[in-house]
């Protein structure tokens, strides 16, 4: 069964990067812990784990995200594979990551393409799938060619990225380097940081870079101005060389594609995946026509604006209907994604509601404390009837003049009179965190 799953994923998985939009978040990813385990008596396994405690998925569970890396030495033979897999299985079952969102990447030097031929590869695959993890790389990550030839000598999947975040959509694949037989691997999750789940009181902003506005000539000139031999190639300390490379690339990106803060409207559009570029262009044109109509309120401008507005509304409904039809058909066996789709279709926010700790009174003075807040709200709503009555124009007749001659109380149908104790009993059953209604 595991072989069939891997083969089907190998046949259907493709790299989809054309529509990916890069976002960067400033001053929110804080690495709070770094562990590196290296056993001097056993050099076959090296692991490192980064616990991003300040990064959660915004859901009610508030899971932490753990990113880990593994390396199994290529010189270790097949006899040590089972020892590694036993340790690897224990790590996946460890309580510190059992209830967390986990992304594990590394060079395992165990080829998953041979899972139908070699028991070691099949055992490795079963260890991954048996712990509810999923492989995300399905194309060869190490390709060797014959000398002075383009003919492939061997191709294997020995590098892997695996995750237990099965309810999120992601894009993964390989990064090809011409001077290396190893390809880099990557994974990008969509909507892991849900804008609807972010508290507006937090000082967190989203940024993006405009890649299409880069002047390639200026970028190449600045790139050539760096002394790469001194910064990287002649640097003996590999950590410092990597830092120099990253810092130099960041300087070039900040200069030629500086981060631009994403507006709240853009974030709202990102949360509505059925709003594509075609619809966005129509919305921009509609807004321009509306501004033109406000500046020059003529009949021609009015008709042009209303015509395009109706077209935008019709197109929005059509795209929304088509998107959710495809969405629910795709996730008909996933109850969590089904409920996410229902909330998205109903535009219900999952943002946590918080009670303010202080409010301003009618005279402008701040009111704090639970008791004072309750008394202030009670006094405000108690005074509403008197204020409303004071605004009513006096009439020559009493209210009884407008009623029929028969006393309305004679027409009431009462089976049993309610006592004060019964009313109090039902009031005490009401939940404080819900508004009054049929459910409460």
């Amino acid at each position: 069964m595991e072989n069939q799953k891997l083969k089907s994923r190998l046949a259907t998985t493709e790299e989809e990067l054309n529509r990916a939009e890069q976002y960067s978040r400033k001053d929110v990813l804080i690495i709070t812990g770094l562990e590196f385990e290296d056993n001097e008596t056993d050099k076959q396994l090296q692991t490192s784990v980064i616990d991003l405690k300040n990064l959660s998925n915004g859901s009610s569970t508030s899971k932490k995200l753990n990113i880990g890396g593994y390396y199994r030495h290529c010189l270790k033979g097949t006899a040590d594979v089972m020892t590694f897999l036993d340790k690897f299985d224990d790590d996946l079952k460890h309580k510190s990551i059992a209830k967390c969102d986990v992304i594990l990447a590394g060079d395992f030097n165990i080829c998953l393409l041979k899972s139908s031929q070699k028991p070691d590869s099949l055992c490795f695959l079963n260890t991954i799938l048996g712990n509810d993890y999923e492989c995300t790389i399905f194309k060869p990550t190490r390709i060797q060619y014959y000398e002075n030839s383009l003919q492939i000598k061997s191709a294997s999947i020995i590098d892997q990225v695996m995750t237990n975040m099965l309810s999120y959509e992601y894009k993964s694949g390989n990064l090809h380097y011409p001077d290396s037989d190893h390809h880099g691997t990557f994974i990008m999750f969509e909507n892991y940081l849900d804008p609807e789940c972010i508290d507006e009181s937090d000082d967190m902003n989203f940024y993006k870079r405009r890649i299409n506005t880069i002047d390639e000539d200026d970028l190449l000139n600045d790139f050539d101005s760096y002394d790469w031999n001194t910064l990287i190639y002649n640097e003996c300390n590999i950590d410092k060389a990597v830092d120099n490379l990253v810092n130099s690339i960041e300087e070039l990106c900040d200069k030629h594609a500086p981060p631009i803060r994403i507006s709240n409207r853009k974030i709202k559009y990102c949360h509505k995946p059925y709003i594509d570029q075609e619809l966005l262009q129509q919305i921009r044109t509609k807004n321009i026509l509306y501004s033109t109509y406000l500046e020059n309120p003529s009949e021609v401008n009015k008709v042009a604006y209303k015509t395009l507005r109706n077209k935008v509304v019709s197109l929005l409904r059509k795209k929304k209907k088509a998107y959710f039809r495809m969405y629910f058909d795709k996730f008909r066996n996933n109850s969590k994604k089904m409920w996410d789709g229902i909330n998205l279709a109903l535009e219900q926010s999952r943002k946590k509601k918080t009670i303010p700790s202080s409010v301003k009174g009618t005279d402008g003075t701040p009111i704090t404390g639970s008791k004072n807040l309750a008394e202030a709200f009670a006094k405000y709503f108690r005074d509403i009837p008197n204020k409303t009555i004071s605004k009513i124009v006096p009439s020559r007749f009493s209210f009884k003049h407008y009623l029929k001659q028969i006393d309305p109380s004679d027409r009431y149908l009462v089976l049993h009179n309610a006592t004060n104790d019964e009313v109090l009993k039902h009031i005490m059953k009401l939940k404080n965190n819900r508004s009054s209604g049929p459910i409460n």
Side-chain angles (χ1 to χ4, degrees):
M1 176 121 182
E2 288 79 2
N3 290 333
Q4 294 177 355
K5 179 179 178 180
L6 181 59
K7 290 179 180 178
S8 63
R9 292 296 300 273
L10 282 167
T12 59
T13 303
E14 294 180 357
E15 300 176 14
E16 299 177 2
L17 294 175
N18 295 331
R19 293 177 297 174
E21 186 169 359
Q22 298 291 335
Y23 289 98
S24 61
R25 236 176 137 189
K26 188 176 181 182
D27 297 334
V28 297
L29 300 183
I30 303 175
I31 299 177
T32 56
L34 178 63
E35 299 177 3
F36 181 79
E37 302 175 1
D38 187 3
N39 192 347
E40 295 296 336
T41 61
D42 185 4
K43 290 290 185 179
Q44 75 162 354
L45 176 64
Q46 292 181 359
T47 62
S48 60
V49 178
I50 298 176
D51 177 14
L52 301 178
K53 295 182 179 179
N54 287 1
L55 182 60
S56 63
N57 59 1
S59 64
S60 59
T61 56
S62 297
K63 289 185 177 181
K64 293 190 300 182
L65 174 62
N66 286 286
I67 302 175
Y70 278 84
Y71 174 71
R72 178 178 173 272
H73 204 284
C74 60
L75 297 181
K76 288 293 180 179
T78 57
D80 297 317
V81 172
M82 298 310 299
T83 304
F84 163 74
L85 293 180
D86 290 340
K87 172 91 169 57
F88 184 61
D89 185 62
D90 293 339
D91 291 344
L92 297 183
K93 289 182 170 62
H94 197 275
K95 62 180 181 180
S96 62
I97 65 172
K99 297 182 179 181
C100 301
D101 290 335
V102 182
I103 303 174
L104 297 177
D107 182 359
F108 298 91
N109 281 294
I110 303 175
C111 182
L112 289 178
L113 287 178
K114 300 179 180 179
S115 59
S116 60
Q117 306 169 8
K118 298 183 63 175
D120 296 340
S121 299
L122 180 59
C123 185
F124 180 43
L125 180 60
N126 289 335
T127 302
I128 297 173
L129 301 179
N131 287 280
D132 293 331
Y133 281 75
E134 184 178 42
C135 299
T136 63
I137 305 299
F138 302 99
K139 292 185 178 180
T141 60
R142 186 172 186 265
I143 301 177
Q144 289 182 307
Y145 297 88
Y146 287 101
E147 188 176 358
N148 299 326
S149 174
L150 295 178
Q151 184 178 359
I152 296 177
K153 182 179 180 181
S154 64
S156 57
I157 302 180
I158 58 177
D159 305 279
Q160 189 57 250
V161 180
M162 60 194 71
T163 180
N164 62 353
M165 300 159 59
L166 308 182
S167 59
Y168 295 92
E169 293 188 24
Y170 61 84
K171 297 174 183 177
S172 61
N174 299 336
L175 300 174
H176 299 271
Y177 299 105
D179 297 331
S180 174
D181 59 348
H182 267 276
H183 298 321
T185 55
F186 72 91
I187 185 170
M188 297 189 303
F189 287 89
E190 297 182 359
N191 298 327
Y192 182 77
L193 296 173
D194 194 344
E196 286 292 322
C197 299
I198 298 176
D199 190 355
E200 294 180 355
S201 61
D202 294 340
D203 186 16
M204 294 188 294
N205 297 322
F206 289 86
Y207 296 82
K208 69 176 181 179
R209 299 182 186 271
R210 297 190 182 276
I211 307 298
N212 55 353
T213 60
I214 295 178
D215 189 333
E216 294 184 4
D217 295 334
D218 291 343
L219 177 60
L220 291 176
N221 292 334
D222 290 341
F223 185 85
D224 294 335
S225 64
Y226 284 85
D227 187 1
W228 298 109
N229 290 327
T230 303
L231 292 173
I232 301 174
Y233 298 111
N234 297 334
E235 177 59 53
C236 298
N237 189 334
I238 186 64
D239 294 331
K240 188 174 181 180
V242 172
D243 290 339
N244 293 338
L245 176 62
V246 172
N247 294 334
S248 301
I249 297 299
E250 286 182 350
E251 291 176 1
L252 290 172
C253 290
D254 292 339
K255 180 178 180 180
H256 295 275
I260 302 173
R261 185 181 180 276
I262 303 175
S263 64
N264 293 331
R265 176 178 293 184
K266 179 65 175 177
I267 295 176
K268 185 174 109 177
Y269 287 157
C270 292
H271 187 59
K272 297 180 178 180
Y274 47 85
I275 299 181
D276 55 9
Q277 291 298 325
E278 178 188 2
L279 187 56
L280 283 175
Q281 185 60 39
Q282 295 285 348
I283 293 174
R284 294 189 190 102
T285 307
K286 180 204 70 172
N287 294 337
I288 293 173
L289 291 178
Y290 181 68
S291 301
T292 304
Y293 170 67
L294 292 180
E295 295 175 359
N296 185 14
S298 64
E299 190 65 23
V300 176
N301 292 337
K302 180 179 179 181
V303 171
Y305 162 68
K306 286 192 173 182
T307 302
L308 186 58
R309 181 195 63 184
N310 295 338
K311 181 180 178 181
V312 169
V313 172
S314 177
L315 185 62
L316 175 62
R317 290 173 179 171
K318 186 185 300 184
K319 289 185 177 292
K320 184 176 181 180
K321 186 176 181 180
Y323 172 80
F324 283 109
R325 184 185 294 113
M326 180 186 66
Y327 180 92
F328 288 118
D329 182 66
K330 180 179 179 181
F331 296 107
R332 59 180 179 271
N333 296 325
N334 190 331
S335 59
K336 182 180 183 302
K337 300 295 286 187
M338 288 285 286
W339 277 109
D340 289 342
I342 292 173
N343 291 328
L344 180 60
L346 298 177
E347 297 186 0
Q348 293 183 351
S349 175
R350 291 178 294 167
K351 191 182 301 181
K352 294 181 179 180
K353 304 297 188 299
T354 57
I355 300 176
S357 58
S358 64
V359 297
K360 286 187 178 181
T362 54
D363 56 352
T365 58
I367 302 175
T368 58
S370 301
K371 184 177 180 181
N372 295 333
L373 287 173
E375 292 178 352
F377 276 102
K379 183 178 181 302
Y380 174 79
F381 288 105
R382 185 181 67 240
D383 294 341
I384 288 179
N386 296 329
K387 293 180 180 179
T388 304
I389 292 175
S390 63
K391 296 179 181 180
I392 299 176
V393 180
S395 176
R396 294 183 301 169
F397 305 102
S398 172
F399 71 93
K400 295 181 180 180
H401 175 78
Y402 300 97
L403 300 176
K404 294 183 178 181
Q405 297 300 325
I406 303 176
D407 189 357
S409 61
D410 295 339
R411 292 177 292 174
Y412 290 164
L413 177 62
V414 179
L415 298 179
H416 299 284
N417 292 324
T419 63
N420 295 336
D421 294 336
E422 289 178 339
V423 175
L424 179 61
K425 177 181 177 181
H426 287 284
I427 291 176
M428 296 304 295
K429 289 182 179 180
L430 297 177
K431 297 182 179 180
N432 297 330
N433 58 349
R434 290 187 179 180
S435 60
S436 58
I439 299 178
N440 192 352

